[in-house]
Amino acid sequence: GDSVTQMEGPVTLSEEAFLTINCTYTATGYPSLFWYVQYPGEGLQLLLKATKADDKGSNKGFEATYRKETTSFHLEKGSVQVSDSAVYFCALLIGTGANNLFFGTGTRLTVIP
Amino acid sequence: GAVVSQHPSRVICKSGTSVKIECRSLDFQARTMFWYRQFPKQSLMLMATSNEGSKATYEQGVEKDKFLINHASLTLSTLTVTSAHPEDSSFYICSARAGEGQPQHFGDGTRLSIL
């Protein structure tokens, strides 16, 4: 079935370090891919998305490229800040019918000054 | 961007009481709303999908008599946890979608603590 496998955390980085959070997916069709971010005590916010192969989503310095050949959508940021500390969820959306948004288990990122 | 308001953000109540959580789409009409539950350090688990004016569709293992969902208008869905017990303590998150193929917009969540 459709699923998302996400790098387990927690991840702790120093400020200005490079971030990579791995995400791979399994899907029967052609999914759209998303990264959501959840700040402490809050709901989810869409961080970025890509709807087809080779698309690159970007926002707030974060980037992820939809790689069909490796079924991956890894999240990267060149220089993290303390304010980036949050839980990051990779997700895929398949089709347009009833809910078909599948989430990964989330990766907790802590950035220390 | 689209805003979804969830209320209350936090509730603490005694075992055996019922708790109602509201989810409102503030600047768009949401034909479909979703209710998720999130356990500590885990991902979101879809509980049910509700379409305006019709009965909610519950995921396997979710008790529909325990988690009552009402989607009476295009801007409001409610989740009522009936006869709540400590094991119902969790973070509940709603999301709303204008229509098929449209993105989901999430509320800020409700932290429910049952004593």
Side-chain angles (χ1 to χ4, degrees), chain B residues 12-97:
Chain B
I12 302 171
C13 59
K14 294 181 178 180
S15 182
T17 59
S18 293
V19 178
K20 180 183 285 188
I21 303 170
E22 293 186 349
C23 182
R24 294 181 184 273
S25 57
L26 298 184
D27 55 358
F28 68 102
Q29 293 186 328
R31 297 197 177 278
T32 306
M33 289 188 173
F34 306 92
W35 288 95
Y36 295 85
R37 182 173 181 177
Q38 185 180 29
F39 292 98
K41 299 183 180 180
Q42 294 188 28
S43 189
L44 282 72
M45 181 191 77
L46 179 66
M47 299 175 65
T49 301
S50 72
N51 291 296
E52 185 267 336
S54 61
K55 289 184 178 180
T57 302
Y58 289 81
E59 296 299 303
Q60 191 173 6
V62 178
E63 298 177 60
K64 61 180 181 181
D65 295 331
K66 176 123 183 106
F67 299 99
L68 301 178
I69 292 172
N70 183 281
H71 191 166
S73 78
L74 285 171
T75 59
L76 174 65
S77 176
T78 60
L79 167 67
T80 301
V81 183
T82 62
S83 188
H85 289 94
E87 58 266 28
D88 299 324
S89 300
S90 193
F91 194 58
Y92 293 86
I93 302 176
C94 75
S95 70
R97 186 180 74 185

Side-chain angles (χ1 to χ4, degrees), chain A:
Chain A
D2 303 315
S3 66
V4 175
T5 301
Q6 191 173 337
M7 183 175 89
E8 290 190 20
V11 174
T12 302
L13 295 173
S14 297
E15 206 166 19
E16 299 183 1
F18 184 84
L19 168 71
T20 299
I21 301 177
N22 289 339
C23 172
T24 57
Y25 67 90
T26 303
T28 52
Y30 301 95
S32 296
L33 301 172
F34 304 82
W35 277 100
Y36 284 87
V37 57
Q38 184 180 31
Y39 297 103
E42 299 183 13
L44 273 69
Q45 300 176 28
L46 179 63
L47 180 61
L48 54 84
K49 67 178 182 180
T51 57
K52 61 183 187 297
D54 300 325
D55 270 3
K56 177 186 283 188
S58 61
N59 185 25
K60 299 180 180 179
F62 291 89
E63 292 183 341
T65 301
Y66 187 106
R67 302 283 188 200
K68 187 179 177 183
E69 63 275 14
T70 54
T71 62
S72 65
F73 193 55
H74 304 322
L75 182 68
E76 297 182 335
K77 186 173 186 181
S79 176
V80 293
Q81 305 300 312
V82 173
S83 57
D84 294 326
S85 298
V87 181
Y88 292 82
F89 292 92
C90 185
L92 71 82
L93 178 72
I94 189 107
T96 58
N99 184 68
N100 36 32
L101 187 61
F102 297 90
F103 287 93
T105 53
T107 302
R108 181 176 298 278
L109 169 67
T110 301
V111 180
I112 54 177

